[in-house]
Amino acid sequence: MPEPSDTQTRHDQHGRYPQAATVDDFRHNLAAVRARMDVACHRAGRDPGGVRLLPVSKTKPEASLRLAYAAGCRLLGENKVQEAFGKWEAMQDLTDLHWSVIGHLQTNKAKLVARFASEFQALDSLRVAEALERRLQAEGRALDVFVQVNTSGEASKYGLSPENVQGFMKELPSFPALRVRGLMTLALFSAEAERVRQCFILLRNLRDQLRQSAPASIGLEELSMGMSGDFEIAIEEGATVVRVGQAIFGARAMPDSYYWPTETAGTQA
Ligand SMILES: *Cc1c(COP(=O)(O)O)cnc(C)c1O
């Protein structure tokens, strides 16, 4: 196996992850990802206990999610709220299974997130913060949130521009039901590891700067960055959460442009 963090990322191998079809497949894939995470931690001189693996189950059927649960997953990431809500409803019997919404949210779906999610990683506007706060108050719940930052500069990617994050953070104490944990980003999709790495470095530097000015109630411990194709690089640059789908569940049928619209969809390596 090639060293994962030399010149190539694995975005170009999305089609090659085999489907996980049994509990043993999931156990094996989870252990393999965890082992790669640990190696990356050691390389970076970091404590492996400081990096959480968030398995991402989007597009996968309920049966797959149940296998992942049987293999030990207790928190699953989903990109689309409606889909996540449906799965949550169908799996009420798994009372200790928790849900992280990691995709862009429209205000009219805030009500659903407030009902079932324990974490929301894609906060990128005050309108969404307001909608979530109101719905969470109504439910008597609180939600862990990450502020999504656009570190790749691609106009089509969601997230705040880095220069707008400080001002945004200053507003967040007015939303007490939102427990701010840190920042989240999607790196550039590129086969050039160094360009991917720059996105992660940008997020870490931004976090370090914000720490000096952020209101006391705002947590900035967490950096959610890295996916199947680039999580080792993200860990080397300080990730505390990696969001890994295909390396655990198997390849998705849908192209990535379905989740993250880009002008250059299909042409990226
Ligand atoms: C799908 C998704 C991931 C996981 O991507 P994989 O290539 O399956 O590892 C991570 N983050 C977000 C926001 C996603 O939508």
Side-chain angles (χ1 to χ4, degrees):
M1 239 220 269
E3 265 297 290
S5 70
D6 44 39
T7 53
Q8 287 267 309
T9 65
R10 294 184 179 179
H11 291 306
D12 54 341
Q13 294 181 24
H14 273 183
R16 300 194 199 157
Y17 297 105
Q19 297 305 315
T22 64
V23 179
D24 270 346
D25 288 347
F26 277 97
R27 285 204 189 99
H28 174 269
N29 290 350
L30 286 163
V33 169
R34 192 68 240 183
R36 285 169 57 192
M37 289 171 63
D38 292 355
V39 169
C41 283
H42 288 304
R43 198 160 48 224
R46 299 187 54 198
D47 172 9
V51 190
R52 166 162 66 104
L53 171 59
L54 173 60
V56 175
S57 51
K58 69 190 188 200
T59 78
K60 299 298 175 183
E62 181 187 336
S64 291
L65 276 62
R66 287 186 178 274
L67 293 174
Y69 178 88
C73 294
R74 291 297 178 272
L75 178 67
L76 293 174
E78 288 276 340
N79 173 286
K80 293 191 185 278
V81 177
Q82 203 78 47
E83 176 184 341
F85 186 74
K87 288 173 174 175
W88 169 76
E89 279 190 310
M91 286 185 264
Q92 296 283 311
D93 55 310
L94 306 181
T95 51
D96 60 345
L97 179 59
H98 302 283
W99 301 87
S100 177
V101 174
I102 60 177
H104 181 73
L105 182 64
Q106 291 167 318
T107 50
N108 62 0
K109 305 237 173 78
K111 184 180 186 171
L112 296 183
V113 171
R115 276 198 63 196
F116 80 95
S118 55
E119 183 175 272
F120 174 55
Q121 293 207 358
L123 183 64
D124 62 359
S125 78
L126 289 176
R127 287 185 60 230
V128 168
E130 278 158 16
L132 280 172
E133 177 70 23
R134 191 155 37 87
R135 297 301 187 173
L136 286 162
Q137 297 281 357
E139 299 276 345
R141 299 187 68 225
L143 186 67
D144 286 345
V145 300
F146 291 60
V147 173
Q148 184 172 355
V149 182
N150 180 346
T151 55
S152 68
E154 294 166 292
S156 55
K157 284 242 172 85
Y158 290 117
L160 292 163
S161 296
E163 61 272 22
N164 293 335
V165 179
Q166 185 177 5
F168 185 74
M169 288 290 179
K170 292 223 162 83
E171 304 291 333
L172 293 183
S174 353
F175 307 104
L178 303 182
R179 294 184 301 226
V180 183
R181 298 300 193 205
L183 306 178
M184 178 273 224
T185 201
L186 279 165
L188 190 74
F189 293 149
S190 165
E192 290 172 59
E194 281 317 306
R195 297 183 63 204
V196 171
R197 186 182 297 277
Q198 288 313 312
C199 296
F200 299 142
I201 292 174
L202 195 159
L203 196 73
R204 185 190 65 222
N205 287 342
L206 181 62
R207 191 270 315 264
D208 293 348
Q209 277 169 28
L210 291 169
R211 270 183 165 161
Q212 293 162 24
S213 63
S217 63
I218 298 300
L220 281 167
E221 303 308 311
E222 305 275 359
L223 289 176
S224 175
M225 53 191 199
M227 345 198 296
S228 292
D230 55 21
F231 69 81
E232 283 115 330
I233 303 174
I235 288 171
E236 287 168 12
E237 299 305 338
T240 64
V241 182
V242 293
R243 310 175 307 267
V244 179
Q246 298 182 92
I248 295 170
F249 283 82
R252 284 183 295 274
M254 303 290 231
D256 281 338
S257 54
Y258 175 75
Y259 308 97
W260 314 291
T262 64
E263 306 96 301
T264 52
T267 63
Q268 290 164 341

